[in-house]
Amino acid sequence: MTNLTLADGIAAILLLALTAYAVLAGADFGGGVWDLFASGPRRKAQRTAIAGAMGPVWEANHVWLIFLLVGLFTAFPTVFAALSVALYLPFTIALLGIILRGAAFAFQAHGEEAVGELAPWGFVFGAASIIAPAFLGAALAAVATGSVRAAGGPDVTTGWISWLAIDMALLAIALAAYLAATYLMVETEDDPPLQADFRRRAFGAAIVSGILAVAGLVLAWRQAPLLWSDLTGRGLWLLIIALANGPIAALAVWRGSPRIARVAVAAQMVFVLWAWAVGQWPALVPPDFTIHGSAATETTLRALTITIAVGMVVLAPSLWLLFHVFKGRNPAAALTHPSP
């Protein structure tokens, strides 16, 4: 077994940042999806609940994306450069989606038509919430299948336009919607009819996510031997846990256990990401970039480690205070007066 180094430790920290971004910001993307598809006699209440749940924290969730990019740029500069060149198009589109949804959410929240009938800003908010995770999922497919090479690819679409990439793009949207719906089930516990709306959406997203996940495994087996080898090799035990956890999460949604469902669905996202990451270790971006081979100098890694430790002393209490204040609000007041 390869001896673990400081580079492995930093790579693990970056994986945790990616996981935090997927679980927290993923739910925000899903909130935009359900805002776009709000329907029925309670569509206004649905959008109010989404705005109230996202309002105080959605910007903070993107801290983890910034942390991930800065850490990758500093600790693994050659990997950052290769990803930036090979995937600049999907990353740029995803970034535009993130910017547009943030601006649209702010304009929508501060305008007179903050919630209710679908306003232009509401449509932008919802559409951008679909675009961003879709292109991030497609980019992840390019990385996982070994399409990002040190020598560059044959064209700008290599790896992220394929049947597997399409499947992973749709899976990213479905998982984000699944996360959001289960979170909103908890947020609306004091309003059973509204909670039932999000429960039906969560169960539908669970079915779609399961179908896309199975389709992704079949496509990986048929078209992406490197990814299939990673998932059935070192990542197999996490993949098995993910496959076992999926029905548990869906059952929790079906039985109306929102808090269990929230934990199980978030865990599902974690198991899927970690099965991929652990499976391809010690490669960072297979097959050309290993963690050890692409790491910066030892001096840089030590400086980054100290910076992360010092930064967490400030960041962790700040995030705790933000979530504590948000969760300390009167839920009824939050639903009546959604936060900007």
Side-chain angles (χ1 to χ4, degrees), residues 104-166:
F105 181 73
F107 292 150
Q108 183 189 38
H110 287 285
E112 293 181 354
E113 297 179 353
V115 289
E117 296 299 327
L118 191 62
W121 285 118
F123 177 79
V124 174
F125 172 56
S129 297
I130 292 175
I131 290 172
F135 280 88
L136 290 176
L140 182 61
V143 174
T145 55
S147 300
V148 178
R149 305 303 301 268
D155 58 59
V156 297
T157 64
T158 301
W160 63 276
I161 294 183
S162 65
W163 288 114
L164 179 60
I166 292 171

Side-chain angles (χ1 to χ4, degrees), residues 61-323:
N61 292 335
H62 290 292
V63 165
W64 299 113
L65 178 61
I66 298 169
F67 179 92
L68 176 64
L69 294 176
V70 173
L72 188 65
F73 173 81
T74 307
F76 305 99
T78 55
V79 172
F80 184 89
L83 292 174
S84 300
V85 172
L87 300 174
Y88 77 91
L89 198 51
F91 283 159
T92 300
I93 296 173
L95 183 59
L96 288 174
I98 291 171
I99 294 171
L100 279 175
R101 73 182 299 276
F105 181 73
F107 292 150
Q108 183 189 38
H110 287 285
E112 293 181 354
E113 297 179 353
V115 289
E117 296 299 327
L118 191 62
W121 285 118
F123 177 79
V124 174
F125 172 56
S129 297
I130 292 175
I131 290 172
F135 280 88
L136 290 176
L140 182 61
V143 174
T145 55
S147 300
V148 178
R149 305 303 301 268
D155 58 59
V156 297
T157 64
T158 301
W160 63 276
I161 294 183
S162 65
W163 288 114
L164 179 60
I166 292 171
D167 180 86
M168 292 188 69
L170 296 175
L171 180 59
I173 299 170
L175 285 174
Y178 193 10
L179 271 173
T182 52
Y183 288 10
L184 287 163
M185 285 175 62
V186 176
E187 297 284 340
T188 56
E189 281 182 316
D190 59 339
D191 189 338
L194 189 57
Q195 186 189 51
D197 289 345
F198 290 116
R199 175 172 164 265
R200 285 191 292 273
R201 286 161 173 76
F203 192 73
I207 299 299
V208 173
S209 299
I211 293 172
L212 290 170
V214 172
L217 287 175
V218 173
L219 288 169
W221 171 53
R222 296 291 300 272
Q223 301 177 1
L226 179 62
L227 176 59
W228 179 253
S229 174
D230 292 340
L231 291 176
T232 56
R234 190 176 278 111
L236 180 60
W237 61 280
L238 280 165
L239 178 62
I240 292 174
I241 293 175
L243 292 174
N245 182 69
I248 294 174
L251 182 62
V253 172
W254 177 260
R255 293 177 60 87
S257 304
R259 295 182 182 276
I260 296 176
R262 180 174 62 176
V263 173
V265 175
Q268 187 70 10
M269 184 75 86
V270 174
F271 292 142
V272 170
L273 275 177
W274 288 12
W276 158 68
V278 171
Q280 69 174 25
W281 184 84
L284 190 60
V285 176
D288 294 342
F289 298 97
T290 63
I291 293 174
H292 300 160
S294 58
T297 64
E298 192 71 12
T299 302
T300 301
L301 297 181
R302 287 176 183 171
L304 178 60
T305 303
I306 294 171
T307 303
I308 291 173
V310 173
M312 283 298 169
V313 173
V314 178
L315 178 62
S318 301
L319 290 176
W320 175 84
L321 181 61
L322 175 67
F323 280 87

